[in-house]
Structures are given as structure tokens and as C-alpha cells.
Amino acid sequence: MSSFYKLGVIGSPIDHSLSPKIHKIFANDLGLQISYDAIEVNENEIESVVTNLFNQEFMGLNVTLPLKEAAYGLADNLSKEAQNCGSVNTLWKEKDTLCADSTDGRGLVKDLESKGIDVGDKNILLLGAGGSAKAVIPSLLKSKPKMLTIANRTPEKAINLANKFTSGECEVNAAAIDARLNSEPSLIINTTSAGTLKQAIELPENLFSDKVFVYDLSYSFQMTPFNKIAKEAGVKNYSDGLGMLIEQAALSFEIWTSHIPSTDIKREDLL
């Protein structure tokens, strides 16, 4: 096994990525030598860039927006999780085979658990039905919640996603994002990028209660726009997605190096 790991992350835009910082902290803690580059890649060039990077002896790549589904199409060997998600965030080579996994969902569940939130038996409301929702649903369902409702601005997308993931073990429903809810969620997960993109955030009118836990996949040094709305509506317990980012990165790091890094990273060391 090489004692120097050449790693990177591809996506667009990529200049704000915290992944280089996170992976360098992991490596320093473990006494490993790595390089980790943030590489701007557009969708139409992903195949040639990924081929070139692995030819340049890169040992692993993270994949971020908007390339996760395109990267899925490149891989020869997909993990079960990746097959369920239809997208990947981690690439590596085994001999000449391009392998891929999606660590986002497991990273989310690990971060929720670290915050004392057990997904099992919860009534979960997932806002959004895009790639981020698809990437976390398999891991959420594996944790056996009582019910998962997918609410989306375009109800058809939510229905399609609910149908894709309907299983005997957990009730999976779809709803319009501005419709009144039939039941009170105990965990709300926001996978939409409306707040980050400065768009209006549409929500069900009876969404928030003081007993619910709110988790926004977005993260920032200030409070995210979504969590701000939740707090103003009386929600006491909320989190952004920085912990998930660190946890999913640790899972990728372990795949590439076989070393398990500590995810105890301070927010101020990153943002």
C-alpha cells in the first residue's frame, strides 16, 4: 500500500469546497501523507478528466455537484448503496476497475446519531426530490423509520421517488411542498437548495413544532436560511449539514486509505 495518497474532488463550482481542508485534517491526525486537489470539471468533460486523473496516479476522487449522476454512469463496479442512489460521491480504482460508492446517506445517519437522533421509528419529512434526496433515502430507510414523506414543489417528482423506494418495511409517501401535512413529523430534513440559491422557500403551513428536530443539508458559518425560518417558527433543535459533510468524507477516506479518521473537527477550523 502506498504511503502517499494522491486524492481530489471534482465538481463545478469547486472553489468553495471544504473537502481539501477536511481530508488534510484527517491525514495530519493519522500521520499520513496526502495531496488533495479541488478540480473544476464540467459535465461534458468528466469521462476524459477522470480517466486522466487515474492515469496520473490519483488513488481516489470525491465527486460533488453537478457530477454525481454522471460519475455513476462511468463506474464499472458500484456499491449496493450507489446502485440504490443512482449517484456516487466516491471513486477509486481496483486494478483496472473503476469502483464507486455513495457515502452521503451513511454520513447523514452517522451525524444524526452523533447528535442523539435515532432515525429508527421516526416520522421523517424530507423536503425536496432531487439528487440530494435520492442520495440519502436508502440510508434513512435502512435505519427503519416509521414513515418517510417526500415533499416537493413538483409533486410528480416526489411521487416517482416515493414509488422507487417503497418497501414493505416503511411507509413512503409523497406530498406537494405547500400542502397541509396529514401527520406531525419528528424529523425534518431539508435537501432543497432554495435557501442557498436565495430563492423563496415554500413550506407546508403546519410544518414546524417545538418538538421536531430540523436538519438542513446545507451549511454555512451563519445560520442557514432554512434553519433561520425554523428557529423563528419556534423550533429549538436544529442543525446544518457540516457534520454530514465531515462524516461522508471520513467514509471516503477510509475506502481509499483503510484508515478510520476522527470526525471530531471544530467548525471554526473549517469555515
Side-chain angles (χ1 to χ4, degrees):
M1 182 70 80
S2 163
S3 55
F4 182 82
Y5 300 91
K6 201 170 173 183
L7 308 168
V9 58
I10 57 172
S12 179
I14 201 67
D15 48 348
H16 305 305
S17 175
L18 295 176
S19 294
K21 276 186 183 174
I22 292 171
H23 285 275
K24 279 171 185 160
I25 291 172
F26 290 162
N28 290 342
D29 283 352
L30 290 161
L32 298 176
Q33 296 290 309
I34 72 162
S35 62
Y36 190 103
D37 301 317
I39 304 155
E40 182 87 25
V41 177
N42 295 315
E43 216 160 333
N44 58 355
E45 56 184 5
I46 181 173
E47 189 165 0
S48 59
V49 172
V50 166
T51 302
N52 288 340
L53 290 172
F54 281 109
N55 286 342
Q56 290 168 35
E57 294 180 347
F58 270 72
M59 298 178 71
L61 292 172
N62 280 132
V63 184
T64 188
L65 299 171
L67 304 177
K68 292 183 180 188
E69 288 174 352
Y72 174 91
L74 294 181
D76 309 304
N77 186 352
L78 293 155
S79 71
K80 189 84 177 77
E81 183 109 353
Q83 290 172 41
N84 288 336
C85 296
S87 66
V88 301
N89 72 342
T90 307
L91 296 172
W92 70 99
K93 275 274 182 86
E94 286 177 13
K95 296 199 169 78
D96 292 327
T97 304
L98 185 63
C99 304
D101 193 2
S102 174
T103 66
D104 283 329
R106 302 199 300 282
L108 170 62
V109 171
K110 272 178 172 283
D111 190 42
L112 285 166
E113 284 171 353
S114 79
K115 292 171 168 59
I117 305 298
D118 178 10
V119 176
D121 220 30
K122 287 271 183 299
N123 181 355
I124 303 173
L125 177 68
L126 198 68
L127 300 171
S132 298
K134 252 182 263 181
V136 299
I137 288 173
S139 290
L140 289 171
L141 291 178
K142 210 171 172 185
S143 302
K144 297 191 167 52
K146 193 187 327 182
M147 184 162 80
L148 176 69
T149 304
I150 304 161
N152 194 56
R153 190 177 288 183
T154 316
E156 292 75 32
K157 273 185 87 175
I159 291 165
N160 290 341
L161 205 51
N163 289 340
K164 177 177 162 60
F165 287 109
T166 292
S167 69
E169 305 206 353
C170 169
E171 192 183 331
V172 183
N173 302 310
I177 207 156
D178 52 359
R180 194 172 173 80
L181 296 174
N182 296 330
S183 62
E184 196 175 290
S186 43
L187 171 62
I188 298 168
I189 300 171
N190 178 40
T191 75
T192 70
S193 48
T196 319
L197 300 175
K198 308 272 191 289
Q199 296 166 348
I201 301 175
E202 288 179 54
L203 299 169
E205 59 181 85
N206 60 332
L207 179 61
F208 297 118
S209 72
D210 57 359
K211 294 188 281 292
V212 74
F213 188 92
V214 167
Y215 194 100
D216 189 358
L217 294 200
S218 304
Y219 54 87
S220 74
F221 210 17
Q222 287 86 32
M223 197 182 295
T224 66
F226 183 80
N227 282 350
K228 209 167 171 219
I229 291 170
K231 188 185 178 193
E232 283 163 4
V235 172
K236 294 181 177 64
N237 298 308
Y238 47 84
S239 173
D240 70 8
L242 185 64
M244 169 182 165
L245 181 74
I246 296 167
E247 293 288 355
Q248 62 80 26
L251 292 163
S252 296
F253 194 89
E254 184 186 348
I255 288 169
W256 300 323
T257 70
S258 303
H259 291 271
I260 301 172
S262 163
T263 53
D264 189 18
I265 296 176
K266 291 187 174 63
R267 178 174 285 264
E268 50 271 24
D269 291 341
L270 290 178
L271 293 167

